[in-house]
Amino acid sequence: SQQGEEDPQALSIQEGENATMNCSYKTSINNLQWYRQNSGRGLVHLILIRSNEREKHSGRLRVTLDTSKKSSSLLITASRAADTASYFCATVRLSNDMRFGAGTRLTVKP
Amino acid sequence: EPEVTQTPSHQVTQMGQEVILRCVPISNHLYFYWYRQILGQKVEFLVSFYNNEISEKSEIFDDQFSVERPDGSNFTLKIRSTKLEDSAMYFCASRGRESQETQYFGPGTRLLVL
């Protein structure tokens, strides 16, 4: 299976702290994407990193990709209570189908 | 900003009934997808669709499922004879021509099979 597997499954931090979530996968990928989902709601695309990229930034988000280790990390800096959500990594193969991991449930306490 | 829309937002049906979930992808997109998410679980890929045919499907997408693009704007998922375990949130997504482009997700349809 090439599904991403996130860790930790759940993460609880205080507002202002940084949150780091990791994702591992098993097969070759075209790109890797991170999504956010508020409880019971739809998926919001956060960031896409291509297989030939190692790091990408978007606002308070920083994503890394290590294709040799088949892993990625999502760092949210200076977290806010509004960042509370589930975060999923999704791997896209050359065939373009997307596979999601189980997600990390992030709670940011005010 | 263009967005993917889905109807209905919620559907309740009896086991054994047929349901059709509707999606309107972003207008210039070429690739279309359905995913489902059982409550509390991860998002699972069902099927991808390009050039009026299925390009890939998962093991979940068995004979009771079918997809169609009936009129050039809608993209539908039909479940012929619903089962209790089909209860889930169903998401439609679409993307443009380039393989490195983002898939944009609709808000989902919550299906409850009784």
Side-chain angles (χ1 to χ4, degrees):
Chain A
S1 162
Q2 61 122 57
Q3 288 140 327
E5 297 293 336
E6 289 94 331
D7 73 87
Q9 291 185 336
L11 179 62
S12 182
I13 58 175
Q14 291 294 133
E15 209 165 26
E17 293 180 341
N18 295 341
T20 299
M21 290 160 272
N22 302 297
C23 169
S24 60
Y25 57 93
K26 294 177 181 171
T27 64
S28 296
I29 60 170
N30 183 314
N31 64 72
L32 185 146
Q33 304 182 31
W34 284 90
Y35 286 82
R36 167 198 166 117
Q37 184 181 37
N38 283 36
S39 180
R41 306 290 296 276
L43 292 155
V44 175
H45 179 261
L46 295 176
I47 198 164
L48 180 156
I49 187 164
R50 296 177 172 79
S51 60
N52 62 352
E53 297 177 313
R54 292 297 165 257
E55 187 170 313
K56 206 160 182 180
H57 297 254
S58 176
R60 292 185 296 114
L61 305 180
R62 174 177 167 256
V63 168
T64 64
L65 179 64
D66 187 335
T67 52
S68 66
K69 294 181 180 176
K70 292 186 168 55
S71 67
S72 173
S73 68
L74 171 68
L75 169 68
I76 304 174
T77 59
S79 63
R80 305 167 182 165
D83 294 329
T84 295
S86 290
Y87 291 83
F88 296 89
C89 74
T91 50
V92 180
R93 296 188 296 180
L94 295 175
S95 58
N96 295 315
D97 61 308
M98 183 182 288
R99 298 288 192 266
F100 284 81
T104 293
R105 194 165 21 254
L106 174 67
T107 302
V108 182
K109 296 181 238 181
Chain B
E1 186 176 327
E3 58 183 17
V4 177
T5 59
Q6 290 184 242
T7 55
S9 58
H10 294 78
Q11 178 140 9
V12 181
T13 189
Q14 294 290 326
M15 190 170 59
Q17 295 295 304
E18 174 183 286
V19 295
I20 297 175
L21 310 182
R22 291 185 166 77
C23 169
V24 179
I26 294 173
S27 63
N28 61 347
H29 282 185
L30 301 176
Y31 294 81
F32 313 112
Y33 306 84
W34 282 102
Y35 297 82
R36 80 171 185 192
Q37 185 180 31
I38 295 170
L39 187 64
Q41 298 187 23
K42 65 181 172 184
V43 177
E44 299 172 291
F45 168 78
L46 292 177
V47 66
S48 59
F49 191 86
Y50 170 71
N51 200 26
N52 283 321
E53 60 183 26
I54 290 173
S55 49
E56 185 146 1
K57 59 184 181 180
S58 71
E59 58 277 5
I60 302 168
F61 194 88
D62 60 24
D63 291 344
Q64 69 161 342
F65 290 94
S66 62
V67 288
E68 196 177 28
R69 189 154 160 82
D71 56 14
S73 65
N74 289 286
F75 178 51
T76 62
L77 174 69
K78 182 191 290 187
I79 310 175
R80 283 191 191 81
S81 178
T82 51
K83 299 181 281 217
L84 297 177
E85 54 265 37
D86 293 328
S87 294
M89 183 79 104
Y90 288 81
F91 293 104
C92 171
S94 70
R95 74 162 175 87
R97 180 184 305 277
E98 299 301 325
S99 63
Q100 297 286 11
E101 288 185 38
T102 302
Q103 288 186 24
Y104 289 89
F105 282 75
T109 293
R110 188 176 297 282
L111 176 66
L112 179 60
V113 182
L114 301 175

